[in-house]
């Protein structure tokens, strides 16, 4: 039997290298999204011999409209490499912790997370899944690039550009400008509106915190002093995750967005990184084009799994029949909107 114990950040991170962790469990990420109503939470899962089998970190939300104490995790458990503990055991210990500490609900997402929770085997949880697009850098070559992207690169070669890498929070305003430009262009073409801060609780302030904590890098393609394409990545254990990317109209026309991707891929290869995760895709139909672009860069599709409970405490528990009905509804915009409300 496993028991979940809350730890301080310094206690929790002390032996983290012994576990299969990822950037979205890193305290630098957790602290970047925390504030007065979003409290960092660090849990160890310990067996009867007092050995820690797994860890998890996330946010305790105290301002949610339905349920004042929800636990939100960006990724699943960091399991000790030699541990044979099952998903069911870990989920059971987490559920008991939530119940004992008056937590209303547990939501575990799956950013950059493997398939450990594909079959959780626990009646209190429902499995959730997403698609992510990852380039395995040691296997990637120029032959993996689609011929259309090679045409983009030929156009980009005709422009006198420079590639830069930085860890400067002063570049965040330009990133925000270009993200706004992308959003406006999508709306002009009557595409679905979207929130560039797709990760829950992520904000402009989060970006500055990530840079200052040293886990975020910014890459740019420029003509002179003008940044036309910009990307922010997260780095952890020789793995990179594309957090945000945006390009101006000139950059798209001249193939500079593709050029930036290729430059970043080459840079991470030189540094000996093992993977470059291009992130997931929007659930809306408009996400098809983005998914296609990522595969044309040579990314492979991976299914990532999370888990979620119904409401655990009363009176919110009375809403559980609505949650169950929602899981049977077709996957469309209205369903997504209703689920966000709950």
């Amino acid at each position: 039997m496993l028991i979940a114990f809350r730890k301080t950040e310094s206690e929790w991170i002390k032996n983290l290298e012994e576990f299969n962790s990822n950037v979205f469990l890193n305290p630098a990420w957790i602290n970047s999204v925390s504030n007065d109503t979003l409290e960092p939470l660090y849990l160890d899962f310990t067996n009867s011999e007092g050995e820690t089998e797994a860890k998890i970190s996330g946010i305790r939300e105290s301002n949610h409209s339905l349920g004042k104490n929800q636990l939100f995790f960006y990724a699943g458990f960091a399991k000790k490499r030699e541990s044979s503990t099952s998903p069911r055991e870990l989920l059971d210990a987490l559920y008991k912790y939530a119940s004992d500490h008056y937590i209303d609900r547990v939501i575990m997402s799956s950013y950059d997370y493997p398939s450990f929770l594909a079959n959780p085997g626990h009646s209190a949880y429902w499995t959730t899944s997403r698609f992510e697009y990852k380039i395995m850098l040691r296997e990637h070559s120029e032959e993996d690039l689609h011929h259309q992207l090679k045409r983009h690169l030929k156009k980009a070669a005709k422009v006198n550009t420079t590639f830069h890498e930085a860890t400067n929070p002063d570049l965040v305003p330009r990133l925000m400008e270009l993200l706004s430009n992308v959003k406006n262009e999508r709306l002009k073409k009557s595409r679905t509106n979207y929130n560039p801060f797709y990760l829950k609780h992520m904000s402009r302030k989060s970006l500055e915190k990530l840079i200052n904590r040293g886990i975020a890098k910014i890459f740019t393609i420029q003509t002179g002093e003008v940044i036309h394409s910009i990307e922010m990545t997260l780095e952890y254990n020789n793995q990179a995750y594309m957090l945000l990317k945006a390009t101006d109209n000139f950059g798209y026309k001249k193939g500079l967005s593709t050029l930036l991707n290729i430059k970043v891929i080459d840079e991470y290869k030189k540094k000996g990184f093992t993977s470059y995760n291009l992130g997931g895709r929007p659930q809306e139909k408009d996400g098809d084009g983005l998914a296609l672009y990522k595969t044309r860069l040579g990314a492979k599709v991976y299914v990532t799994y999370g888990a979620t409970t119904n409401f655990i405490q009363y009176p919110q528990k009375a809403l559980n029949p609505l949650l169950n009905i929602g899981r049977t509804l077709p996957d469309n915009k209205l369903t997504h909107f209703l689920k966000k409300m709950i």
Side-chain angles (χ1 to χ4, degrees):
M1 178 179 177
L2 297 177
I3 300 176
F5 292 99
R6 186 168 186 177
K7 299 289 183 177
T8 64
E9 178 185 330
S10 59
E11 291 171 336
W12 187 86
I13 203 172
K14 192 175 295 182
N15 60 339
L16 188 58
E17 69 280 355
E18 299 174 15
F19 298 78
N20 289 317
S21 185
N22 82 0
V23 70
F24 293 104
L25 296 174
N26 188 326
W29 168 260
I30 298 300
N31 288 324
S32 77
V33 294
S34 65
N35 57 38
D36 291 342
T37 58
L38 301 171
E39 180 186 5
L41 180 76
Y42 301 98
L43 297 177
D44 278 358
F45 295 84
T46 305
N47 62 25
S48 56
E49 283 75 42
E51 300 169 334
T52 300
E53 299 283 350
K55 295 173 174 283
I56 199 169
S57 62
I59 294 291
R60 178 170 177 154
E61 303 170 327
S62 60
N63 64 340
H64 197 278
S65 56
L66 293 172
K68 296 300 182 184
N69 290 292
Q70 291 195 159
L71 298 186
F72 181 81
F73 303 98
Y74 291 90
F77 305 97
K79 194 162 70 80
K80 201 165 192 175
R81 291 186 177 89
E82 65 272 20
S83 174
S84 61
T85 190
S86 69
R88 180 186 175 87
E89 292 174 288
L90 290 167
L91 290 169
D92 195 50
L94 180 58
Y95 191 90
K96 188 175 188 309
Y97 176 90
S99 180
D100 291 346
H101 290 81
Y102 306 103
I103 302 299
D104 296 302
R105 195 179 180 200
V106 175
I107 300 173
M108 187 182 298
S109 196
S110 57
Y111 294 101
D112 203 28
Y113 193 65
S115 58
F116 181 63
L117 294 174
N119 299 294
H122 199 295
S123 60
Y125 292 83
W126 279 260
T127 297
T128 60
S129 62
R130 297 170 47 256
F131 293 106
E132 288 191 336
Y133 299 80
K134 186 183 293 188
I135 295 175
M136 306 310 294
L137 294 169
R138 292 171 183 169
E139 305 164 9
H140 185 269
S141 70
E142 188 177 340
E143 295 176 359
D144 294 316
L145 296 180
H146 190 271
H147 62 86
Q148 184 175 337
L149 299 193
K150 291 179 181 179
R151 290 201 297 268
H152 292 177
L153 294 177
K154 286 182 180 179
K155 288 194 294 184
K158 298 176 182 178
V159 183
N160 185 19
T161 61
T162 54
F163 171 69
H164 300 272
E165 174 185 340
T167 53
N168 186 352
D170 291 342
L171 292 174
V172 171
R174 180 55 177 165
L175 174 58
M176 299 298 295
E177 288 177 6
L178 292 182
L179 287 171
S180 179
N181 176 71
V182 173
K183 183 174 182 176
N184 292 335
E185 288 301 309
R186 284 169 62 105
L187 291 174
K188 286 179 186 177
K189 297 174 183 178
S190 299
R191 294 181 179 178
T192 307
N193 193 7
Y194 85 114
N195 177 11
F197 292 121
Y198 57 95
L199 281 156
K200 194 174 186 182
H201 305 309
M202 183 169 68
S203 66
R204 174 174 174 165
K205 190 172 183 180
S206 302
L207 307 184
E208 296 168 350
K209 287 182 179 180
L210 290 166
I211 294 171
N212 290 330
R213 284 291 294 259
I215 70 165
K217 290 283 176 61
I218 290 182
F219 299 95
T220 64
I221 291 291
Q222 302 178 201
T223 57
E225 297 298 317
V226 180
I227 295 173
H228 296 288
S229 191
I230 186 168
E231 176 181 327
M232 177 181 280
T233 63
L234 302 179
E235 299 180 354
Y236 186 74
N237 285 347
N238 286 329
Q239 299 175 61
Y241 192 99
M242 182 196 291
L243 186 64
L244 292 168
K245 184 186 176 193
T247 304
D248 63 14
N249 296 344
F250 176 86
Y252 281 122
K253 183 178 179 181
K254 299 296 184 179
L256 304 188
S257 179
T258 300
L259 177 62
L260 179 57
N261 279 127
I262 300 305
K263 290 287 188 181
V264 173
I265 290 171
D266 290 342
E267 192 65 23
Y268 279 127
K269 285 181 180 178
K270 291 176 187 175
K271 293 180 178 180
F273 275 53
T274 59
S275 64
Y276 172 41
N277 193 329
L278 303 178
R281 54 152 294 168
Q283 294 183 356
E284 296 84 1
K285 180 69 176 175
D286 193 40
D288 292 350
L290 183 58
L292 180 62
Y293 177 80
K294 291 177 179 181
T295 57
R296 286 177 171 177
L297 279 169
K300 300 293 189 296
V301 184
Y302 294 84
V303 184
T304 64
Y305 294 93
T308 180
T309 68
N310 278 352
F311 288 108
I312 299 170
Q313 314 287 351
Y314 284 104
Q316 291 85 359
K317 208 168 183 178
L319 295 171
N320 287 343
L322 292 177
L323 288 178
N324 294 334
I325 291 172
R327 294 186 177 98
T328 67
L329 295 175
D331 189 30
N332 56 39
K333 295 178 185 177
L334 177 60
T335 306
H336 296 158
F337 173 76
L338 293 174
K339 286 180 179 179
K340 287 179 181 178
M341 296 296 289
I342 297 177

